[in-house]
Amino acid sequence: MEKTKSISIVNAFPAGFFLVAGLLIFAPLLKNQMITGPLVNFLLFSSAILLGRSVALSFCVFPSVISLASGLLPLILAPVVPFIVLSNMVLVLSFDFLRKKNLYLAVIISALFKFLFLSSTSSLALAMFKKSAASQVALMMGYPQLFTALAGGFLAIVFLKIINEKKKHDF
């Protein structure tokens, strides 16, 4: 009888960690919020499931810092970065808490929580900006955040379903 070798998530952890971390660093360099946003959220949702809540929470810092450093996020918006990081943490925590009940509902609710948190906190920060910059902040931290979180979440669901199907057929 021939033994088969399978790779578990535990055995693949270092590779998965570096892959996701690398992508989270690379994604903001694309400099397009409607591409970067869903990709970053996809990686946050996927890492919460594949690598665990603690690792996913640590990944919440990378996208904002890289976006600021690469110019995707204008320098004038630097004071909003902590709110973005916290909104990513809200996304990961709420998703991780809800995902075992209903994956689709978990994506929708956590995306909504992220959107509500970021849009409300960034509106508080608007007082620090000139009027022209404030409208830019409001636009970037508003509904596009909801769209990108939902898109990233549903991409993650599709990706995870593909992985599960592949695992069932690889013995």
Side-chain angles (χ1 to χ4, degrees), residues 139-151:
L139 179 63
M140 289 181 78
M141 302 304 143
Y143 286 103
Q145 294 297 321
L146 180 59
F147 167 76
T148 61
L150 288 170

PDB file of all heavy atoms in Angstrom, residues 139-151:
ATOM      1  N   LEU A 139     -15.193  60.630   0.014  1.00  0.00           N
ATOM      2  CA  LEU A 139     -15.406  59.750  -1.139  1.00  0.00           C
ATOM      3  C   LEU A 139     -14.656  58.433  -0.975  1.00  0.00           C
ATOM      4  O   LEU A 139     -15.230  57.361  -1.144  1.00  0.00           O
ATOM      5  CB  LEU A 139     -14.966  60.448  -2.435  1.00  0.00           C
ATOM      6  CG  LEU A 139     -15.126  59.622  -3.706  1.00  0.00           C
ATOM      7  CD1 LEU A 139     -16.594  59.303  -3.960  1.00  0.00           C
ATOM      8  CD2 LEU A 139     -14.544  60.378  -4.893  1.00  0.00           C
ATOM      9  N   MET A 140     -13.382  58.501  -0.615  1.00  0.00           N
ATOM     10  CA  MET A 140     -12.566  57.286  -0.488  1.00  0.00           C
ATOM     11  C   MET A 140     -13.011  56.394   0.667  1.00  0.00           C
ATOM     12  O   MET A 140     -12.901  55.178   0.591  1.00  0.00           O
ATOM     13  CB  MET A 140     -11.087  57.644  -0.306  1.00  0.00           C
ATOM     14  CG  MET A 140     -10.434  58.208  -1.542  1.00  0.00           C
ATOM     15  SD  MET A 140      -8.692  58.573  -1.267  1.00  0.00           S
ATOM     16  CE  MET A 140      -7.990  56.935  -1.364  1.00  0.00           C
ATOM     17  N   MET A 141     -13.492  56.990   1.754  1.00  0.00           N
ATOM     18  CA  MET A 141     -13.841  56.223   2.952  1.00  0.00           C
ATOM     19  C   MET A 141     -15.331  55.913   3.027  1.00  0.00           C
ATOM     20  O   MET A 141     -15.803  55.379   4.018  1.00  0.00           O
ATOM     21  CB  MET A 141     -13.420  56.984   4.225  1.00  0.00           C
ATOM     22  CG  MET A 141     -11.949  57.292   4.286  1.00  0.00           C
ATOM     23  SD  MET A 141     -10.934  55.815   4.140  1.00  0.00           S
ATOM     24  CE  MET A 141      -9.594  56.460   3.165  1.00  0.00           C
ATOM     25  N   GLY A 142     -16.075  56.217   1.988  1.00  0.00           N
ATOM     26  CA  GLY A 142     -17.513  55.990   1.974  1.00  0.00           C
ATOM     27  C   GLY A 142     -17.894  54.679   1.324  1.00  0.00           C
ATOM     28  O   GLY A 142     -17.321  53.619   1.602  1.00  0.00           O
ATOM     29  N   TYR A 143     -18.826  54.752   0.411  1.00  0.00           N
ATOM     30  CA  TYR A 143     -19.384  53.550  -0.214  1.00  0.00           C
ATOM     31  C   TYR A 143     -18.378  52.665  -0.947  1.00  0.00           C
ATOM     32  O   TYR A 143     -18.572  51.447  -1.000  1.00  0.00           O
ATOM     33  CB  TYR A 143     -20.564  53.920  -1.121  1.00  0.00           C
ATOM     34  CG  TYR A 143     -21.775  54.261  -0.321  1.00  0.00           C
ATOM     35  CD1 TYR A 143     -22.158  55.586  -0.142  1.00  0.00           C
ATOM     36  CD2 TYR A 143     -22.513  53.266   0.308  1.00  0.00           C
ATOM     37  CE1 TYR A 143     -23.266  55.904   0.630  1.00  0.00           C
ATOM     38  CE2 TYR A 143     -23.620  53.576   1.077  1.00  0.00           C
ATOM     39  CZ  TYR A 143     -23.984  54.901   1.239  1.00  0.00           C
ATOM     40  OH  TYR A 143     -25.071  55.203   2.007  1.00  0.00           O
ATOM     41  N   PRO A 144     -17.286  53.225  -1.510  1.00  0.00           N
ATOM     42  CA  PRO A 144     -16.309  52.300  -2.110  1.00  0.00           C
ATOM     43  C   PRO A 144     -15.783  51.267  -1.108  1.00  0.00           C
ATOM     44  O   PRO A 144     -15.468  50.143  -1.482  1.00  0.00           O
ATOM     45  CB  PRO A 144     -15.187  53.232  -2.586  1.00  0.00           C
ATOM     46  CG  PRO A 144     -15.875  54.526  -2.861  1.00  0.00           C
ATOM     47  CD  PRO A 144     -16.936  54.625  -1.788  1.00  0.00           C
ATOM     48  N   GLN A 145     -15.729  51.643   0.168  1.00  0.00           N
ATOM     49  CA  GLN A 145     -15.260  50.696   1.186  1.00  0.00           C
ATOM     50  C   GLN A 145     -16.237  49.531   1.347  1.00  0.00           C
ATOM     51  O   GLN A 145     -15.818  48.391   1.519  1.00  0.00           O
ATOM     52  CB  GLN A 145     -15.066  51.411   2.527  1.00  0.00           C
ATOM     53  CG  GLN A 145     -13.963  52.446   2.512  1.00  0.00           C
ATOM     54  CD  GLN A 145     -12.604  51.833   2.249  1.00  0.00           C
ATOM     55  OE1 GLN A 145     -12.281  50.738   2.733  1.00  0.00           O
ATOM     56  NE2 GLN A 145     -11.795  52.534   1.477  1.00  0.00           N
ATOM     57  N   LEU A 146     -17.508  49.824   1.284  1.00  0.00           N
ATOM     58  CA  LEU A 146     -18.508  48.762   1.372  1.00  0.00           C
ATOM     59  C   LEU A 146     -18.406  47.839   0.159  1.00  0.00           C
ATOM     60  O   LEU A 146     -18.387  46.614   0.293  1.00  0.00           O
ATOM     61  CB  LEU A 146     -19.915  49.356   1.478  1.00  0.00           C
ATOM     62  CG  LEU A 146     -21.068  48.351   1.569  1.00  0.00           C
ATOM     63  CD1 LEU A 146     -20.922  47.443   2.782  1.00  0.00           C
ATOM     64  CD2 LEU A 146     -22.403  49.090   1.607  1.00  0.00           C
ATOM     65  N   PHE A 147     -18.325  48.435  -1.023  1.00  0.00           N
ATOM     66  CA  PHE A 147     -18.207  47.644  -2.252  1.00  0.00           C
ATOM     67  C   PHE A 147     -16.963  46.772  -2.231  1.00  0.00           C
ATOM     68  O   PHE A 147     -17.029  45.576  -2.536  1.00  0.00           O
ATOM     69  CB  PHE A 147     -18.178  48.555  -3.483  1.00  0.00           C
ATOM     70  CG  PHE A 147     -17.758  47.840  -4.726  1.00  0.00           C
ATOM     71  CD1 PHE A 147     -18.638  46.997  -5.390  1.00  0.00           C
ATOM     72  CD2 PHE A 147     -16.463  47.972  -5.221  1.00  0.00           C
ATOM     73  CE1 PHE A 147     -18.238  46.298  -6.523  1.00  0.00           C
ATOM     74  CE2 PHE A 147     -16.066  47.283  -6.355  1.00  0.00           C
ATOM     75  CZ  PHE A 147     -16.956  46.451  -7.010  1.00  0.00           C
ATOM     76  N   THR A 148     -15.811  47.349  -1.874  1.00  0.00           N
ATOM     77  CA  THR A 148     -14.567  46.575  -1.925  1.00  0.00           C
ATOM     78  C   THR A 148     -14.555  45.466  -0.871  1.00  0.00           C
ATOM     79  O   THR A 148     -14.022  44.390  -1.122  1.00  0.00           O
ATOM     80  CB  THR A 148     -13.323  47.483  -1.783  1.00  0.00           C
ATOM     81  OG1 THR A 148     -13.360  48.159  -0.520  1.00  0.00           O
ATOM     82  CG2 THR A 148     -13.236  48.487  -2.912  1.00  0.00           C
ATOM     83  N   ALA A 149     -15.168  45.721   0.288  1.00  0.00           N
ATOM     84  CA  ALA A 149     -15.236  44.675   1.319  1.00  0.00           C
ATOM     85  C   ALA A 149     -16.146  43.534   0.874  1.00  0.00           C
ATOM     86  O   ALA A 149     -15.802  42.353   1.036  1.00  0.00           O
ATOM     87  CB  ALA A 149     -15.706  45.262   2.644  1.00  0.00           C
ATOM     88  N   LEU A 150     -17.291  43.873   0.300  1.00  0.00           N
ATOM     89  CA  LEU A 150     -18.199  42.826  -0.193  1.00  0.00           C
ATOM     90  C   LEU A 150     -17.563  42.035  -1.330  1.00  0.00           C
ATOM     91  O   LEU A 150     -17.611  40.797  -1.348  1.00  0.00           O
ATOM     92  CB  LEU A 150     -19.522  43.435  -0.658  1.00  0.00           C
ATOM     93  CG  LEU A 150     -20.445  43.940   0.442  1.00  0.00           C
ATOM     94  CD1 LEU A 150     -21.593  44.744  -0.159  1.00  0.00           C
ATOM     95  CD2 LEU A 150     -20.969  42.790   1.282  1.00  0.00           C
ATOM     96  N   ALA A 151     -16.948  42.736  -2.270  1.00  0.00           N
ATOM     97  CA  ALA A 151     -16.301  42.061  -3.406  1.00  0.00           C
ATOM     98  C   ALA A 151     -15.191  41.137  -2.913  1.00  0.00           C
ATOM     99  O   ALA A 151     -15.091  39.984  -3.348  1.00  0.00           O
ATOM    100  CB  ALA A 151     -15.751  43.089  -4.395  1.00  0.00           C
TER     101      ALA A 151
END
